[in-house]
């Protein structure tokens, strides 16, 4: 719900109402060109820089590239990709995922040709971005992606282990494994000591306890490990190879590619594939991290994947042209950026700026870092790429074979070849699962149980038919379906067997994996229409001319067996979920509400108070207006679709309940509830019956039939204490009603606050409110007879006066002015009724004790969009206060509506 409506001092000043700016007006010159950096972005950029600097050097060392290449890639990734990319908080730069690929390219073609390959890969990424295929790249099986990253991690760890031990890495993972015995026999004590010290600090740094630990942990573990290892090596005078950054004047730039054309094309495709997939997966992961972050409460746009691919391509073109490593989105740095509280892409760009400054000004300091410390850092990163969380997820989804084969393929053959092998194995596994079906039969207590495991396709129909025919006539049988797909051939086989078996006096029940009955004999009405589908839109319930028999409505076949309708499993084209849940009402999409909502000025929604008119003949139809079919005619699908519901009479026969269409619709809806919903809510309702109601909210809204409170609040039984009336009005205490004081709403408020002890009260208005239209458009003429409706609408007069007053600014929706006067009055009415609530003694006591909150809400029916009264908005006192603004509720987060 919305934030608590604060108390306002009666004498507070209120901003005067201002007219909206004209469409052609421009903001002042100074505000258009002002560039501001949030403090959170500045601090986050420093954190990311301290992580990126040692990692960039370590990855460059692991690939065999010039160390400046890692710094160039980090700077370009921050400045260029940070500015052009589609994921604002993602940090790009040299990544471990491309280390193996880049090392192979440098060994085959040399560094300068590798830079040219990086440029070509960037051009390929620009082409993919133009084709808008970024989302398709995520269609690769997660087992293949995780297996590829794990294989790259194993290869990195094996190569860096040689440097940690004081030697040099070999050309491949297999060669590194073969060379380990000789390397272990010729250890370098200084390199091993510094590497071990680096690893210990790297792993222990985040776990330092106490207050001092909280302060120390603000320094990234990677920087702390490398800095302390460098300091120890310098103090103890350990003789080790160190970073050697040559002069930038000698920095190598790309040259025209030289080598076999097919090999160069394969190299470009490999860099493009691995870099793009890793970047897009990292962008999606960053979105998840941002959505789970509670502070700072700033709305971050979701990643635009095609734009992110464009930014990555632009960065690779520039990085390769300047002699840098290939660039990709880096999960470690991106997660650190999110955790550090970054609020915009400025943090990513600033981190790139700090890297560039360090590369130019801190060369003497960087030259002190031992290569063994960087190798230990990269080795730990490689080991962490074999993620145990991913491993458990793959095992849980029975994809371990694909994961293991992809990992082994990357380690032993290369990244591109390993991914291709993984895709082939994934396809083979999917085909095996699709075609492999286990069908068994067993008899227990006279009941024949047929179990079907796997997908039910035409390939399994011969075995299925053979086993079904073995079930004796007149026998009770249960078919347990454990799968997620059934094609048309299997559907026909089950349907034909069911019909034959029931005709011979047997019974057939179909259950899912958990033993729950999958389907009862249903009509299409109950199997395709959703709970929120209005009766008039139940188009899926059309039946043949012959009305269904009583047995069909009650759910029993003539023989007493439980019938099975395979239609409820789905169609041959779409497949079906056979997981064991009751699919009635969810097997197909059904027809939802009308696509177009009436406008706020639709005359059919307007309440026109006035004296009742005497009945008389219907007016003659207009010769130009088309005549609408009557509500109970066969052209009304919602009416003709309703099945006949019967009840017993004294003569023993069953006759329809009621004769009108509306009664049939209501009875059908109640029957659908008893059949589909009651079994799921019976336990919860029984608990509420035992314990009594304990709602947390008093929800006061309009009686308009389009407002379904449980639907728009996603609430269930016992959540809301709901009060509905025409216009969601709260009469002031002591206000006159039809025959004196009107206490119906006041009684509900007192009961909810003092007896039920609700924690908040919400007043919810809506668009196109007929009461507000009547209040706005119907003058109050003295002497005109006052109907009950007219007397009731007098409680809304303060809202109309408030809207017309010059002492109050207009209530509005954030980002726009109200669409018309009716919407303006609907919004103002919510604010005014909140003020009326405060005048009630029970509410005043609850607010004074701090146990009660007031909320304002506005629901736009045509948009299906809720708006909440923002924090700091007024509750409607006569004095001043802040502006009344209703903020849009986001589908992903509520915090932004409270800003």
């Amino acid at each position: 719900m919305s934030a608590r409506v604060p108390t306002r001092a009666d004498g507070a000043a209120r901003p005067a109402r201002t007219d909206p700016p004209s469409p052609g007006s421009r903001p002042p010159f100074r505000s258009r060109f002002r560039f501001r950096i949030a403090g959170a972005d500045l601090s986050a950029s420093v954190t990311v820089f301290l992580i990126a600097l040692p990692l960039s050097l370590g990855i460059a060392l692991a690939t065999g590239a010039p160390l400046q290449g890692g710094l160039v890639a980090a700077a370009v990734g921050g400045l260029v990709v940070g500015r052009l990319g589609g994921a604002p908080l993602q940090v790009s730069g040299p990544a471990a995922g491309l280390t193996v690929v880049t090392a192979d390219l440098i060994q085959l073609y040399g560094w300068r040709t590798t830079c040219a390959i990086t440029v070509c890969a960037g051009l390929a990424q620009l082409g993919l971005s133009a084709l808008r295929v970024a989302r398709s790249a995520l269609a690769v099986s997660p087992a293949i992606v995780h297996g590829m990253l794990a294989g790259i991690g194993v290869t990195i760890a094996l190569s860096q282990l040689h440097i940690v031990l004081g030697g040099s890495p070999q050309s491949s993972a297999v060669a590194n494994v073969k060379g380990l015995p000789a390397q272990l026999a010729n250890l370098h004590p200084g390199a091993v000591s510094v590497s071990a010290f680096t690893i210990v600090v790297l792993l222990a740094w985040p776990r330092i306890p106490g207050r001092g630990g909280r302060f120390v942990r603000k320094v990234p573990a990677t920087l702390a490990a490398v800095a302390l290892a460098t300091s120890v090596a310098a103090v103890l005078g350990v003789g080790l190879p160190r970073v050697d950054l040559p002069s930038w004047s000698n920095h190598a730039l790309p040259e025209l590619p030289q080598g076999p054309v097919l090999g160069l094309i394969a190299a470009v495709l490999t860099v493009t594939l691995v870099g793009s997939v890793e970047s897009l997966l990292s962008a999606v992961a960053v979105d998840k991290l941002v959505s789970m972050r509670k502070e700072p409460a700033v709305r971050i746009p979701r990643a635009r994947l095609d734009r992110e691919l464009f930014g990555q391509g632009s960065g690779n073109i520039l990085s390769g042209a300047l002699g840098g490593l290939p660039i990709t989105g880096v999960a470690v740095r991106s997660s650190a950026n999110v955790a550090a509280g970054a609020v915009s892409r400025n943090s990513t760009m600033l981190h790139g700026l700090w890297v560039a400054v360090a590369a130019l000004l801190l060369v003497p300091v960087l030259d002190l870092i031992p290569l063994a410390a960087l190798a230990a850092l990269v080795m730990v990163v490689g080991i962490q790429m074999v993620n145990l969380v991913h491993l458990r997820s793959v095992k849980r989804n029975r994809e371990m074979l694909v994961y293991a084969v992809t990992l082994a393929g990357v380690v032993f053959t290369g990244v591109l070849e390993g991914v291709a092998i993984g895709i082939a194995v994934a396809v083979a596994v999917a085909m095996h699962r699709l075609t492999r079906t286990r069908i068994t039969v067993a008899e227990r207590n006279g009941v024949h149980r047929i179990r079907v495991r796997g997908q039910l396709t035409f390939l399994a129909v011969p075995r299925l038919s053979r086993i079904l025919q073995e079930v004796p006539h007149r026998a009770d049988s249960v078919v347990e379906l454990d799968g997620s797909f059934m094609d048309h051939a299997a559907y026909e086989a089950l349907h034909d067997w069911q019909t034959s078996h029931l005709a011979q006096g047997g019974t057939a029940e179909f259950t899912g994996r958990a033993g729950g009955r999958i389907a009862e004999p249903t009509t299409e009405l109950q199997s395709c229409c959703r709970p929120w589908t209005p009766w008039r839109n139940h188009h899926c319930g059309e039946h043949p001319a012959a009305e269904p028999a009583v047995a069909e409505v009650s759910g029993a076949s003539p023989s007493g067996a439980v019938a099975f309708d395979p239609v409820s499993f789905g169609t041959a084209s779409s497949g079906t979920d056979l997981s064991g849940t009751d699919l009635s009402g969810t097997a197909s999409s059904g027809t939802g509400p009308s696509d177009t909502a009436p406008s706020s000025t639709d005359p059919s929604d307007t309440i026109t108070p006035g004296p009742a008119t005497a009945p008389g003949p219907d007016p003659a139809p207009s010769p130009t207006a088309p005549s609408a079919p009557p509500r109970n005619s066969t052209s009304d699908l919602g009416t003709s679709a309703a099945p006949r519901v019967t009840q017993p009479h004294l003569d023993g026969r069953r006759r329809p309940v009621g004769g009108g269409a509306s009664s049939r619709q209501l009875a059908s809806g109640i029957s659908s509830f008893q059949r589909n919903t009651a079994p799921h809510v019976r336990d919860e309702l029984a608990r509420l019956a035992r314990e009594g109601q304990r709602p947390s909210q008093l929800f006061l809204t309009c009686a308009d039939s389009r407002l379904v409170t449980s639907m728009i609040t996603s609430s269930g039984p016992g959540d809301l204490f709901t009060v509905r009336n025409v216009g969601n009005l709260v009469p002031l205490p002591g206000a006159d009603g039809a025959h004196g004081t009107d206490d119906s709403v006041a009684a509900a408020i007192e009961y909810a606050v003092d007896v039920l002890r609700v924690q908040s009260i919400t007043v919810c208005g809506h668009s196109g409110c007929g009461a507000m239209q009547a209040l706005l458009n119907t003058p109050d003429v003295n002497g005109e007879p006052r109907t009950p409706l007219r007397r009731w609408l007098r409680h809304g007069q303060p809202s109309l006066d408030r809207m017309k007053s010059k002492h109050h600014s207009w209530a509005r929706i954030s980002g726009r002015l109200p669409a018309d006067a009716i919407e303006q009055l609907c919004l103002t009415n919510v604010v005014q009724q909140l003020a009326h609530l405060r005048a009630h003694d029970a509410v005043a006591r609850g607010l004074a004790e701090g146990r009660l909150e007031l909320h304002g809400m506005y629901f736009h029916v045509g948009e299906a969009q809720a708006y909440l009264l923002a924090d700091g908005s007024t509750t409607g006192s006569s004095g001043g206060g802040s502006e009344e603004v209703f903020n849009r509720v986001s589908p992903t987060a509520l915090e932004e509506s409270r800003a």
Side-chain angles (χ1 to χ4, degrees):
M1 301 308 299
S2 69
R4 182 176 60 189
V5 178
T7 306
R8 184 184 69 182
D10 291 339
R14 183 177 187 86
R17 185 186 317 188
T18 57
D19 295 330
S22 61
S25 62
R26 294 184 177 181
F29 178 89
R30 182 175 56 188
S31 63
R32 282 189 293 150
F33 294 94
R34 185 164 46 195
F35 179 74
R36 292 184 293 183
I37 298 176
D41 283 333
L42 186 61
S43 61
S45 70
V46 174
T47 301
V48 177
F49 158 71
L50 296 177
I51 296 173
L53 186 63
L55 280 177
S56 300
L57 293 173
I59 291 171
L61 173 67
T63 60
L67 298 183
Q68 293 103 320
L71 299 177
V72 169
V76 173
L79 292 170
V80 177
V81 183
R83 180 64 185 87
L84 301 178
L89 300 189
Q90 174 158 272
V91 180
S92 300
L98 283 170
T99 300
V100 176
V101 176
T102 308
D104 290 342
L105 295 180
I106 293 174
Q107 189 174 15
L108 287 174
Y109 303 110
W111 168 243
R112 299 181 67 183
T113 299
T114 300
C115 291
I117 291 173
T118 301
V119 174
C120 295
L123 293 172
Q125 287 178 317
L126 292 184
L128 293 177
S129 173
L131 294 175
R132 306 184 70 82
V133 298
R135 186 67 63 177
S136 303
L138 300 179
V140 181
S141 169
I144 297 175
V145 175
H146 298 326
M148 176 192 74
L149 295 177
I152 292 172
V154 170
T155 305
I156 292 172
L158 290 174
S159 65
Q160 296 308 295
L161 181 58
H162 283 270
I163 302 178
V164 166
L165 298 176
S168 299
Q170 305 299 316
S171 59
S172 66
V174 177
N176 282 321
V177 172
K178 292 181 178 179
L180 272 180
Q183 187 64 60
L184 290 172
N186 188 24
L187 293 176
H188 189 290
V192 173
S193 301
V194 171
S195 299
F197 180 79
T198 305
I199 294 173
V200 169
V201 174
L202 187 63
L203 298 179
W205 194 262
R207 298 172 174 83
I208 299 176
R211 291 185 178 180
R214 286 198 299 269
F215 177 78
V216 168
R217 287 195 300 268
K218 293 182 179 180
V219 179
T222 54
L223 177 67
V226 173
L228 290 178
T230 302
S231 302
V232 170
V235 171
L236 299 180
V238 181
L240 290 173
R242 300 179 185 273
V243 170
D244 183 16
L245 292 175
S247 172
W248 284 100
S249 60
N250 299 325
H251 181 59
L253 297 176
E255 65 180 4
L256 291 176
Q258 298 179 1
V261 176
L262 292 180
L264 292 173
I265 293 175
V268 172
L269 292 178
T270 302
V271 174
T272 304
L273 171 66
V274 177
S276 300
V277 171
E278 186 172 358
S279 298
L280 297 176
L281 290 176
S282 176
V284 174
V286 169
D287 276 348
K288 294 179 181 178
L289 292 175
V290 171
S291 65
M292 293 186 296
R293 186 176 67 174
K294 296 182 179 179
E295 291 183 357
V298 177
R299 182 179 180 274
I300 307 297
R302 292 183 62 84
R304 297 166 55 188
L305 298 184
D306 289 303
R307 177 176 171 180
E308 178 63 20
L309 205 55
F310 174 82
Q312 295 291 335
S314 303
N316 274 318
I317 292 174
L318 188 58
S319 179
L322 296 178
L325 289 170
I327 291 174
T328 183
V330 189
V332 175
R333 279 165 253 180
S334 301
S335 60
N337 192 34
V338 174
V343 296
S344 73
R345 62 178 71 245
N346 291 336
S347 63
T348 303
M349 298 171 63
L350 285 174
H351 123 271
L353 178 62
W354 307 145
V355 172
V357 171
L360 295 175
L361 303 180
L362 298 182
V363 172
V365 177
L366 299 178
D367 285 343
L368 298 176
I369 301 175
L371 295 182
L374 294 178
L377 174 64
V378 176
M379 184 182 73
V380 171
V381 172
I383 294 173
Q384 290 174 343
M385 292 177 71
V386 186
N387 193 304
L388 295 180
V389 176
H390 293 162
L391 197 60
R392 285 193 290 267
S393 174
V394 168
K395 183 178 180 180
R396 184 169 59 251
N397 290 281
R398 298 184 299 172
E399 298 284 348
M400 185 57 71
L401 177 62
V402 178
Y403 178 90
V405 169
T406 306
L407 188 155
V410 170
V411 171
F412 292 105
T413 63
V415 175
L416 192 60
E417 295 85 352
V419 170
I421 294 173
I423 292 175
V425 172
V427 172
V429 169
M431 293 298 297
H432 174 72
R433 290 176 178 172
L434 185 63
T435 58
R436 180 173 178 269
T437 307
R438 294 177 56 191
I439 306 175
T440 60
V441 61
E443 182 182 358
R444 183 183 304 170
N445 299 327
V447 178
H448 293 262
R449 308 188 71 87
I450 300 96
R451 291 183 173 87
V452 181
R453 300 288 187 272
Q455 320 313 318
L456 209 50
T457 66
F458 66 94
L459 297 174
V461 166
R463 284 185 295 141
L464 177 65
S465 299
R466 184 176 65 253
I467 291 178
L468 290 176
Q469 294 304 320
E470 295 176 0
V471 178
H473 299 167
R474 304 183 65 83
D476 296 331
S477 59
V478 176
V479 180
E480 180 180 327
L481 301 172
D482 180 6
S484 60
F485 179 80
M486 179 175 64
D487 70 1
H488 187 70
Y491 152 75
E492 289 288 352
L494 285 173
H495 180 74
D496 293 343
W497 172 80
Q498 176 206 21
T499 303
S500 173
H501 190 67
L502 293 178
Q504 294 167 355
T507 64
E509 179 180 336
F510 289 78
T511 68
R513 180 187 311 173
R517 186 173 297 175
I518 288 181
E520 296 285 352
T522 63
T523 64
E524 293 182 3
L525 174 65
Q526 74 184 67
S527 64
C528 70
C529 292
R530 307 297 191 185
W532 57 83
T533 306
W535 288 336
R536 61 177 296 174
N537 290 333
H538 281 203
H539 303 300
C540 52
E542 280 190 303
H543 296 283
E547 293 188 355
V550 173
E552 292 177 339
V553 175
S554 63
S557 64
S559 64
V562 176
F564 163 71
D565 185 2
V567 173
S568 64
F569 285 106
T571 62
S573 62
S574 62
T576 313
D577 182 7
L578 308 181
S579 60
T581 57
D582 187 355
L583 300 185
S584 299
T586 59
S588 60
S589 61
T591 305
S594 177
D595 293 333
T596 58
S599 66
S600 60
T601 57
D602 188 348
S604 64
D605 297 327
T606 304
I607 299 175
T608 307
T613 56
D618 294 337
S622 170
T624 59
S627 59
R631 292 288 293 174
N632 59 350
S633 69
T634 57
S635 64
D636 188 339
L637 297 179
T639 301
S640 63
R644 174 173 300 221
V645 180
T646 61
Q647 67 178 12
H649 282 245
L650 296 178
D651 57 4
R653 300 180 180 180
R654 286 184 172 267
R655 296 176 181 172
V657 178
S662 61
S663 62
R664 291 202 301 273
Q665 287 173 332
L666 181 61
S668 176
I670 297 173
S671 176
S672 177
F673 164 79
Q674 295 297 149
R675 179 176 57 251
N676 302 325
T677 308
H680 299 289
V681 301
R682 187 168 286 120
D683 292 342
E684 178 64 17
L685 290 178
R687 183 190 66 80
L688 290 172
R690 292 191 307 269
E691 301 175 1
Q693 62 169 326
R694 297 177 182 175
S696 61
Q697 290 259 354
L698 167 58
F699 198 83
L700 199 152
T701 188
C702 186
D704 193 295
S705 62
R706 298 168 297 180
L707 240 62
V708 184
T709 57
S710 59
M711 180 180 71
I712 66 177
T713 60
S714 298
S715 56
D719 291 336
L720 302 181
F721 185 75
T722 307
V723 175
R724 306 188 68 154
N725 59 51
V726 175
N728 48 275
L729 301 178
V730 180
L732 288 168
D736 290 337
H739 302 288
T741 302
D742 192 336
D743 284 337
S744 59
V745 177
I749 294 172
E750 181 181 352
Y751 182 76
V753 176
D754 290 342
V755 179
L756 298 178
R757 310 289 288 183
V758 296
Q759 301 166 10
S760 64
I761 303 177
T762 299
V763 176
C764 177
H766 67 96
S767 62
C769 180
M772 296 300 104
Q773 295 182 41
L775 193 63
L776 188 65
N777 299 328
T778 305
D780 191 1
V781 180
N782 293 329
E784 185 176 341
R786 290 193 178 276
T787 64
L789 180 57
R790 274 192 178 279
R791 287 193 293 268
W792 172 253
L793 289 182
R794 290 173 56 194
H795 299 303
Q797 188 63 37
S799 300
L800 184 60
D801 295 340
R802 181 188 185 91
M803 187 185 75
K804 296 178 179 179
S805 173
K806 296 183 179 180
H807 302 289
H808 298 279
S809 62
W810 281 347
R812 63 180 179 84
I813 293 176
S814 178
R816 68 174 177 87
L817 292 175
D820 50 30
I822 294 175
E823 184 174 64
Q824 176 68 71
L825 184 56
C826 293
L827 295 170
T828 304
N829 184 56
V830 172
V831 179
Q832 186 64 35
Q833 301 315 310
L834 288 172
H836 288 185
L837 273 173
R838 287 183 170 275
H840 288 260
D841 292 339
V843 176
R845 286 195 304 270
L847 293 174
E849 295 169 4
R851 62 178 177 85
L852 186 64
E853 297 179 353
L854 302 185
H855 305 291
M857 176 176 170
Y858 175 75
F859 186 76
H860 195 292
V861 177
E863 297 175 356
Q865 178 62 56
Y867 298 86
L868 299 176
L869 188 60
D871 195 4
S873 296
T874 181
T875 58
S877 301
S878 59
S882 59
E883 194 175 20
E884 297 115 2
V885 180
F886 288 77
N887 287 335
R888 179 180 181 272
V889 178
S890 167
T892 56
L894 180 62
E895 296 299 327
E896 63 191 73
S897 66
R898 300 182 174 179

